[in-house]
Amino acid sequence: MSDKAFLAIDMGASSGRHVVGLFDGRRVKLEEVYRFQNGPVEVGNRLYWDVLGQWTHIRNGLYAAGSRVNTTVASVGVDTWGVDFGLLDRNDELLGNPYHYRDHRTDGMMEKAFQIVPREEIFRQTGLQFMQLNTLYQLLAMKFGGSPLLDIADRLLMMPDLFHWMLTGEKCNEFTDATTTQFFNPVERRWATELLDRFGLPTHILGPIVQPGTVLGPLRPSVASETGLTQTQVVLPGTHDTASAVMAVPAREHGDDWPDWCYISLGTWALMGVEVKQPIITEESLTLNFTNEGGVGNTIRLLKNITGLWLVQECRRIWNQAGRSWDWEDLNRLTAESPGLVSFIDPDHSMFLAPTDMPEAIREFVRRTGQSVPSTEGAVLRCALDSIAMKFRHVLGMCEKLIGRRIEVIHIVGGGTKNRLLCQAAADACGRPVLAGPVEATALGNIMMQAVAAGEVGSISEAREIIRQSFPLDEYLPQNTAAWDEAFPRFLQILEATV
């Protein structure tokens, strides 16, 4: 049997990649054929995405795939980060560059929203974690800022929807990414139009909701001709990158309603949660600020967003701007040489959303909370990683509380699995075994969803079994848990002091 080729365009907040999955019926192999840098562009104190530059990279990657793969690329699908969007007018003209979710125009916007619709009512209708970067608050920032774009917009497309439209001409809103907006009702599986009406926001710009695995059709003739992919279909994966990453979690299915495992999709962000069949929208989940996002197979990802390796990435950027030339191995060495459990930060504090100097922001937080201020680069990194691991422990307890049972194993997937220090710290802090891998989980989940849509794989459960057979996992067993147990109350005090 010849390999079937499926192409994932996996776009993260800092980089993008085109990854081909070759499936022989039993195992899947991945080959990265194109990679590019991604990130915000600052213009006039605003942060935007360079959407035309991204589109150029998408086309270049399609050409690279067609040139390097010795078989027909059966299909292609795009996944990206959540919450951000583009607007089209009635003539399908793109209305400006999409804003970056870290743009400060949403500062204070949640508080304004709660004056119109109470926080509890927003959560009752959407079940989503409150973060100022959510699409709802981006639209409110446009409304309160007097943006004319909302008046002339005809269609809102989330970022992966926008790229799928560029590829095919088809306009739709894919389920998993739609659920990141905070104006989607996960119980009724539809847009929360009544909520938008109360905010005076347009609802006619919202399109039909479609599920992962939907075949949108062939590439536009111009794109197919340019790239040589004349027989390639476009298939929706879980277009929110976390949905695709969770698709690739190599967990064993037990058939009951509640899982005994949780996942952490670890990269710039750390998305930690459980896969459930129905949303959990209760006073408790509201208090814990959990989110109910869509998953593949019409599931719900009950999870919490945690600031992940953004802290380390920004430290490295600042230090290298100052003349260092440290790579990731250098940072790991510096961290390993520094004593642990000395001081902590709240990784999700607003101080760390978009600081101009991340190392100084970490030191300032520690200083304000009366702890021992890290004096070396390694101590700053150790503080960051210990704090992330402690946040994992905190959220693990919340997950267990919401589903009413003990979680036995933690699966960590994504590029962050390369940070072995953090994976071990997660096992130590949580007192649970950690299974780390696969690294390219998001691209792999994208590819396997396409394989399911093509009928090459029978189900999501079967896809996870194939992933287990195709990629080795690293196991981290808990060590030195007593020290982490002793330090955890101190970490909780830090969280409580900075609420």
Side-chain angles (χ1 to χ4, degrees):
M1 175 179 179
S2 62
D3 289 350
K4 292 281 187 177
F6 304 97
L7 175 61
I9 302 174
D10 173 25
M11 295 180 62
S14 59
S15 67
R17 62 204 63 81
H18 290 57
V19 180
V20 172
L22 296 172
F23 181 55
D24 65 4
R26 295 183 302 112
R27 288 180 172 82
V28 60
K29 297 184 297 183
L30 300 183
E31 179 185 356
E32 183 180 294
V33 296
Y34 189 81
R35 177 177 284 265
F36 59 95
Q37 293 299 306
N38 197 24
V41 178
E42 184 174 357
V43 181
N45 295 321
R46 288 291 184 220
L47 288 181
Y48 301 94
W49 293 107
D50 178 12
V51 68
L52 298 184
Q54 293 166 338
W55 173 234
T56 298
H57 282 299
I58 285 176
R59 299 198 329 269
N60 290 345
L62 290 173
Y63 179 81
S67 301
R68 292 177 56 176
V69 178
N70 295 321
T71 187
T72 299
V73 176
S75 62
V76 59
V78 182
D79 65 77
T80 80
W81 62 97
V83 307
D84 290 339
F85 59 93
L87 296 172
L88 301 180
D89 72 7
R90 63 184 181 182
N91 295 322
D92 285 350
E93 294 283 349
L94 181 62
L95 300 176
N97 281 304
Y99 280 95
H100 189 283
Y101 59 82
R102 294 191 190 275
D103 182 78
H104 285 290
R105 78 196 191 287
T106 56
D107 290 353
M109 206 52 59
M110 288 200 303
E111 292 71 22
K112 289 185 178 181
F114 300 157
Q115 293 174 7
I116 302 171
V117 180
R119 183 174 185 268
E120 295 76 11
E121 177 62 17
I122 296 173
F123 187 77
R124 187 188 67 78
Q125 291 202 41
T126 67
L128 206 74
Q129 178 180 1
F130 288 93
M131 302 178 72
Q132 72 176 54
L133 49 78
N134 290 344
T135 319
L136 174 62
Y137 310 113
Q138 295 195 42
L139 289 180
L140 285 173
M142 295 178 72
K143 175 182 172 64
F144 293 141
S147 172
L149 299 185
L150 281 181
D151 296 330
I152 57 177
D154 183 68
R155 181 60 63 87
L156 180 147
L157 296 177
M158 304 301 286
M159 292 302 292
D161 302 328
L162 184 63
F163 293 124
H164 284 127
W165 167 73
M166 291 178 177
L167 288 169
T168 66
E170 296 294 325
K171 291 179 286 187
C172 63
N173 294 110
E174 187 272 332
F175 169 65
T176 68
D177 211 46
T179 63
T180 72
T181 60
Q182 204 153 42
F183 46 82
F184 182 89
N185 187 319
V187 175
E188 300 182 17
R189 309 290 170 116
R190 64 173 179 84
W191 294 115
T193 52
E194 300 90 344
L195 179 65
L196 291 178
D197 286 340
R198 291 179 65 179
F199 283 118
L201 291 169
T203 59
H204 70 275
I205 60 177
L206 305 175
I209 303 293
V210 293
Q211 287 291 325
T214 299
V215 179
L216 291 184
L219 293 167
R220 291 178 187 259
S222 59
V223 177
S225 176
E226 175 189 5
T227 61
L229 300 179
T230 56
Q231 300 181 56
T232 301
Q233 296 288 307
V234 177
V235 174
L236 295 180
T239 67
H240 186 214
D241 50 11
T242 309
S244 278
V246 174
M247 164 80 176
V249 171
R252 297 187 182 278
E253 306 292 337
H254 295 288
D256 54 4
D257 288 339
W258 301 106
D260 65 355
W261 56 272
C262 72
Y263 58 83
I264 302 173
S265 178
L266 182 56
T268 300
W269 290 92
L271 295 306
M272 184 174 187
V274 291
E275 186 178 71
V276 294
K277 295 180 179 179
Q278 297 295 332
I280 298 179
I281 301 177
T282 62
E283 288 296 325
E284 193 165 52
S285 60
L286 169 62
T287 300
L288 297 176
N289 200 21
F290 261 65
T291 199
N292 291 270
E293 295 178 357
V296 297
N298 213 25
T299 57
I300 294 294
R301 292 174 291 116
L302 180 70
L303 64 87
K304 198 169 182 67
N305 287 53
I306 305 166
T307 299
L309 291 172
W310 163 253
L311 301 169
V312 177
Q313 293 163 354
E314 279 295 284
C315 285
R316 177 176 180 259
R317 182 181 68 83
I318 291 297
W319 291 329
N320 285 352
Q321 275 186 353
R324 309 285 193 181
S325 57
W326 284 333
D327 60 21
W328 298 113
E329 287 304 315
D330 294 324
L331 298 188
N332 289 339
R333 175 179 51 79
L334 291 170
T335 308
E337 292 172 352
S338 299
L341 305 179
V342 175
S343 54
F344 300 108
I345 61 171
D346 178 359
D348 299 315
H349 194 276
S350 59
M351 287 179 64
F352 307 120
L353 182 63
T356 56
D357 186 332
M358 182 66 79
E360 181 53 35
I362 290 173
R363 293 190 197 95
E364 178 59 23
F365 184 99
V366 172
R367 190 178 297 116
R368 289 184 187 180
T369 51
Q371 303 175 80
S372 176
V373 179
S375 58
T376 66
E377 288 88 348
V380 169
L381 294 171
R382 174 64 77 175
C383 172
L385 290 189
D386 285 352
S387 301
I388 295 170
M390 281 296 197
K391 201 64 179 276
F392 291 164
R393 174 176 175 146
H394 191 38
V395 174
L396 174 68
M398 297 178 187
C399 288
E400 292 179 331
K401 192 173 186 180
L402 288 174
I403 67 173
R405 66 183 292 176
R406 177 181 167 88
I407 289 170
E408 300 294 343
V409 64
I410 300 171
H411 283 273
I412 301 182
V413 298
T417 58
K418 295 178 182 178
N419 193 312
R420 299 182 64 86
L421 288 171
L422 182 53
C423 290
Q424 184 62 58
D428 297 344
C430 297
R432 304 287 194 282
V434 165
L435 295 178
V439 174
E440 292 288 356
T442 304
L444 186 56
N446 182 328
I447 286 162
M448 294 308 289
M449 191 70 245
Q450 295 180 51
V452 171
E456 295 293 324
V457 177
S459 66
I460 293 168
S461 178
E462 183 180 328
R464 286 173 169 161
E465 177 62 33
I466 291 167
I467 291 167
R468 279 197 300 276
Q469 299 300 321
S470 301
F471 298 93
L473 302 179
D474 293 320
E475 184 176 26
Y476 298 86
L477 297 177
Q479 301 173 8
N480 194 28
T481 54
W484 289 84
D485 290 345
E486 183 179 350
F488 187 56
R490 183 157 49 91
F491 175 73
L492 293 180
Q493 289 177 351
I494 298 299
L495 296 187
E496 293 167 0
T498 56
V499 171

